[in-house]
């Protein structure tokens, strides 16, 4: 931390020195200028014929000096800008580190809270178990005292006294095992259960009938309680282990998914680059000085547009894939730096491929726009003339009523009704003319299309009315 505090103090004199440097440079330049002026004056007095040449030389030197000064100022500004950018980058890195530290702190607090909750739960279970055991021990001790008191009253009988002592010993043995069993863990439960069975088999028969039944019930209750507690602890341990394994599995799966997505994106980027390169290759004839024929220009332009569209689609697929799959790539926190590095390398490639394809498309579009309209208009005109020649069977330059009927039947497979035919002839054929003029051919096609649509609507309406009539009947 001390070097970091010292860094601004060392940086301040440097900034002051850099600010003073232009002024010192200007002072030096002024002194040099005065010296040059005096030398020029003396030189002018000595060599008047050479004055103009000296003035030009001096002017050139002043210009060079001014350019050097400007270059020095520019470099100083660039250096200052570079330092500012480094400071901003350092602040961004510091902010990112603080966010990571805060996230880790929150996760640590959550983990500690879970551990504290688990400890409180275990303490509560232990407290309840101890209270239950104390009550049982108090009850058993009370009953044992009562039995001992009864045995003391019959102290005169040695056999009864010996039996009472043996009964008490057996009871204590059972109670000792029950106390150990009440504190059983998943690791010691089986061993303590075997020990309890052995004590019940060897010691329990030496107790009295009532005490024997009480101890048997108590043993069963403690065993069930211990078994339930051990099973619960085992399930909790198993759940904790399963949760840990699941988290590890999800982490591995997220890393695998991220790497797979990066590989898929890399393949898409490679395909986009190949498509862009193909577009440039197809459009390469436009970059030569050789003059192409009109048909060749149109053919190359169409091929370039097709290849360019494929390249643009490939680049868009890369961008869409990156937008949709980026959250899945960044889920793997342990390889986030690797993912960021890979994406930083792939994104410029996508942009470059898109730019190359766009440039090739632009060149092809410009070339095509220059001559394609003329070629296409000519082709359409020839096609229209051929179509009109096929319709105008009598070669009079007009499309007569019968020729309209034949054209609708041949071109649209539509037998035009008389009513529609009359309306078309009335609207498109001028009085005194034998038919529709070629200039109105497009209007004729539109009118036939409208008539065909009206006929279809009438047919549908008849079918609907017939269906309704049948349904109503």
């Amino acid at each position: 931390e001390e070097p970091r505090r010292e860094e601004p103090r060392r940086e301040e004199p440097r900034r002051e020195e850099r600010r003073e440097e232009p002024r010192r440079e200007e002072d030096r330049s002024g002194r040099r200028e005065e010296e040059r002026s005096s030398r020029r004056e003396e030189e002018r007095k000595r060599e008047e014929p050479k004055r103009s040449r000296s003035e030009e030389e001096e002017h050139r030197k002043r210009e060079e000096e001014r350019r050097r000064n400007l270059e020095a100022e520019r470099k100083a500004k660039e250096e200052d800008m570079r330092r500012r950018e480094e400071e901003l980058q350092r602040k961004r890195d510091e902010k990112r580190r603080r966010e990571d530290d805060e996230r880790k702190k929150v996760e640590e607090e959550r983990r500690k809270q879970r551990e504290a909750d688990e400890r409180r739960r275990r303490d509560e279970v232990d407290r309840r178990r101890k209270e239950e055991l104390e009550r049982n021990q108090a009850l058993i001790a009370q009953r044992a005292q009562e039995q001992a008191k009864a045995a003391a009253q019959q102290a005169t009988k040695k056999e009864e006294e010996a039996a009472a002592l043996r009964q008490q010993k057996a009871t204590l043995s059972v109670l000792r095992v029950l106390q150990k069993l009440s504190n059983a863990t998943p690791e010691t439960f089986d061993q303590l259960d075997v020990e309890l069975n052995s004590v019940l088999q060897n010691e329990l028969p030496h107790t009295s009938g009532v005490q024997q039944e009480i101890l048997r019930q108590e043993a069963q209750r403690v065993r069930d309680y211990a078994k339930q507690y051990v099973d619960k602890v085992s399930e909790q341990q198993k759940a904790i282990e399963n949760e840990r394994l699941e988290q590890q599995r999800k982490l591995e799966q997220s890393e695998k998914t991220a790497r797979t997505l990066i590989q898929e994106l890399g393949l898409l980027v490679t395909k986009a680059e190949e498509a862009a390169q193909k577009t440039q290759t197809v459009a390469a004839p436009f970059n030569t000085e050789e003059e192409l024929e009109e048909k060749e220009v149109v053919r190359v332009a169409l091929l370039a547009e097709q290849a360019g569209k494929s390249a643009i689609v490939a680049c868009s697929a890369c961008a869409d894939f990156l937008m949709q799959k980026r959250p899945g790539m960044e889920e793997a926190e342990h390889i986030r730096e690797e993912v960021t590095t890979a994406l930083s390398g792939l994104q410029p490639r996508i942009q470059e491929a898109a730019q190359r394809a766009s440039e090739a498309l632009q060149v092809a579009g410009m070339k095509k726009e220059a001559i394609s309209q003329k070629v296409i208009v000519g082709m359409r005109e020839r096609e229209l003339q051929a179509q009109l020649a096929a319709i105008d069977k009598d070669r009079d330059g007009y499309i007569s009523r019968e020729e309209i009927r034949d054209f609708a039947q041949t071109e649209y497979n539509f037998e035009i009704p008389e009513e529609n035919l009359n309306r078309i002839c009335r609207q498109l054929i001028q009085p005194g003319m034998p038919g529709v003029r070629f200039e109105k051919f497009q209007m004729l096609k539109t009118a036939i299309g409208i008539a065909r649509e009206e006929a279809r609507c009438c047919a549908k309406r008849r079918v609907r009315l017939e269906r309704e009539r049948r349904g109503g009947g």
Side-chain angles (χ1 to χ4, degrees):
E1 295 179 357
E2 185 62 27
R4 288 198 295 269
R5 289 195 297 268
E6 289 293 327
E7 184 65 22
R9 290 197 293 268
R10 291 195 299 268
E11 188 65 21
E12 185 66 24
R14 295 174 188 170
R15 289 196 293 267
E16 291 294 334
E17 184 177 357
R18 286 193 294 269
R19 286 196 293 267
E20 291 294 332
E21 183 64 25
R23 290 196 292 270
R24 290 196 297 267
E25 186 66 25
E26 290 177 358
D27 294 338
R28 288 193 296 268
S29 299
R31 289 193 297 269
R32 285 194 296 268
E33 184 66 26
E34 292 177 358
E35 293 175 358
R36 292 192 190 96
S37 298
S38 61
R39 286 196 300 269
R40 283 197 303 270
E41 184 66 23
E42 293 175 358
E43 186 69 21
R44 187 181 62 79
K45 292 178 179 179
R46 289 194 303 266
E47 299 179 0
E48 184 66 25
K50 299 179 180 179
R51 180 173 54 187
S52 58
R53 185 172 56 191
S54 299
E55 289 177 354
E56 292 177 358
E57 182 67 22
E58 187 63 27
H59 178 71
R60 183 183 62 79
K61 290 180 180 180
R62 283 198 303 271
E63 287 296 323
E64 291 178 356
E65 184 68 22
R66 186 179 62 83
R67 285 195 296 271
R68 285 196 296 272
N69 293 336
L70 293 176
E71 182 67 19
E73 292 178 0
R74 184 184 63 80
K75 290 182 179 179
K77 290 180 180 179
E78 291 179 353
E79 181 66 21
D80 187 42
M81 185 178 296
R82 184 185 62 79
R83 286 195 298 273
R84 291 180 181 176
E85 292 178 354
E86 291 177 353
E87 181 66 18
L88 289 175
Q89 183 63 32
R90 184 187 65 79
K91 290 181 179 179
R92 287 194 291 267
D93 295 340
E94 184 66 23
K95 180 180 179 182
R96 191 179 299 112
R97 284 195 295 273
R98 286 198 303 269
E99 291 176 352
D100 293 340
D101 293 339
E102 291 176 358
R103 185 178 63 256
K104 292 178 181 178
K105 184 178 179 181
V106 171
E107 293 176 355
E108 183 66 20
E109 290 177 355
R110 291 178 180 174
R111 184 185 64 79
K112 290 180 179 179
Q113 183 64 30
R114 289 196 298 269
E115 292 178 354
D117 294 340
E118 181 66 19
R119 285 195 298 272
R120 285 195 298 271
R121 187 188 61 76
R122 291 180 181 176
D123 294 341
E124 182 65 21
V125 172
D126 293 340
R127 184 184 62 78
R128 293 179 181 177
R129 186 177 61 217
K130 290 179 180 180
E131 291 177 355
E132 185 70 19
L133 180 60
E134 289 175 358
R135 286 195 297 269
N136 293 334
Q137 289 177 349
L139 178 61
I140 295 172
Q142 182 180 359
R143 292 175 181 175
Q145 289 176 2
E146 292 175 356
Q147 292 177 0
K149 185 177 180 181
Q153 292 174 356
Q154 298 175 1
T156 56
K157 297 180 181 181
K158 292 183 179 180
E159 294 180 358
E160 293 179 1
E161 187 176 294
L165 291 174
R166 185 72 181 87
Q167 179 180 351
Q168 185 177 6
K169 181 180 178 181
T171 301
L172 293 175
S173 298
V174 174
L175 291 176
R176 189 182 305 110
V177 176
L178 290 179
Q179 183 176 6
K180 293 167 63 177
L181 184 62
S182 65
N183 296 322
T185 62
E187 292 79 11
T188 62
F189 175 77
D190 294 336
Q191 180 180 357
L192 293 175
D193 188 45
V194 172
E195 185 177 353
L196 177 61
N197 290 332
S198 177
V199 170
L200 292 178
Q201 184 178 0
N202 298 326
E203 300 294 338
L204 190 61
H206 296 288
T207 59
S208 63
V210 178
Q211 184 70 17
Q212 183 176 355
E213 183 62 26
I214 293 173
L215 290 174
R216 182 178 288 109
Q217 292 178 2
E218 182 66 17
Q220 185 63 36
R221 189 191 67 79
V222 173
R223 175 186 289 164
D224 293 341
Y225 174 78
K227 181 74 166 60
Q228 183 180 3
Y229 173 74
V230 168
D231 292 341
K232 188 174 182 180
V233 172
S234 299
E235 290 176 0
Q236 291 176 350
Q237 292 177 349
K238 185 177 180 181
I240 292 173
E241 181 64 18
N242 290 338
E243 183 179 359
R244 185 187 66 80
L245 294 176
E246 181 65 17
Q247 290 178 352
Q248 183 177 0
R249 185 190 66 78
K250 288 181 179 179
L251 179 61
E252 294 174 354
Q253 182 65 28
S254 63
E255 292 179 359
K256 181 179 179 181
T257 302
R259 289 193 171 93
T260 302
L261 292 175
I262 290 175
Q263 292 178 356
E264 293 178 3
L265 180 59
L267 294 176
L268 291 176
V269 172
T270 301
K271 291 181 180 179
E273 290 175 340
E274 293 176 353
Q277 181 61 37
K278 181 180 178 181
T279 304
Q280 288 187 331
T281 302
V282 171
F286 291 145
N287 298 326
T288 61
E289 297 181 356
E290 183 180 355
E291 191 71 24
L292 299 177
E293 296 181 358
E294 293 180 352
K295 293 183 178 180
E296 181 66 14
V297 170
V298 174
R299 186 187 69 81
V300 174
L302 293 176
L303 292 176
E305 286 181 351
Q306 183 178 3
K309 290 178 180 178
S310 300
I312 294 298
V313 169
C315 295
S316 300
C318 295
D320 295 340
F321 184 90
L322 182 60
M323 181 179 299
Q324 296 173 2
K325 304 297 184 180
R326 186 163 192 161
M329 299 179 189
E330 294 179 348
E331 284 182 358
E333 296 183 356
H334 293 282
I335 61 170
R336 179 168 293 178
E337 184 176 355
E338 177 183 346
V339 172
T340 303
T341 302
L343 294 181
S344 299
L346 292 174
Q347 286 177 332
R349 293 172 58 188
I350 297 173
Q351 296 173 357
E352 182 181 359
Q355 182 178 1
R356 290 164 59 190
S358 299
E359 291 175 354
L361 276 175
Q362 184 178 5
V363 172
M366 292 173 61
K367 293 292 184 180
K368 179 181 176 182
E369 187 66 22
I371 63 171
S372 61
Q373 291 298 327
K374 182 175 67 175
V375 175
I376 292 173
V377 168
M379 293 173 62
R380 288 179 179 176
E381 184 68 25
R382 288 192 294 272
E383 291 176 358
L384 180 61
Q385 292 298 329
Q387 189 176 16
L388 291 174
I391 296 172
D392 186 17
K393 297 179 180 179
D394 55 4
R395 301 294 188 272
D396 61 350
Y398 295 90
I399 304 174
S400 64
R401 181 186 182 91
E402 292 302 322
E403 289 172 346
I404 293 173
R405 190 194 307 276
D406 295 341
F407 173 69
Q409 182 68 36
T410 304
E411 184 71 16
Y412 299 103
N413 194 20
F414 171 55
E415 185 175 353
I416 187 169
E418 284 295 326
E419 180 182 356
N420 296 99
L421 184 59
N422 293 333
R423 184 181 63 192
I424 292 173
C425 292
R426 187 170 58 254
Q427 293 176 350
L428 299 181
I429 299 177
Q430 297 179 359
M433 295 295 178
V436 179
R437 299 180 62 183
F438 286 174
E439 291 81 358
K440 297 183 179 181
F441 180 64
Q442 188 63 37
M443 297 175 62
L444 175 62
K445 292 171 66 177
T446 303
I448 294 174
I450 294 172
R452 182 178 60 173
E453 189 64 27
E454 290 177 351
R456 289 177 179 175
C457 292
C458 291
K460 291 181 180 178
R461 183 171 179 274
R462 287 195 298 272
V463 172
R464 179 173 58 79
L465 293 176
E466 181 66 20
R467 189 183 301 111
E468 293 177 353
R469 185 183 64 78
R470 292 178 180 178

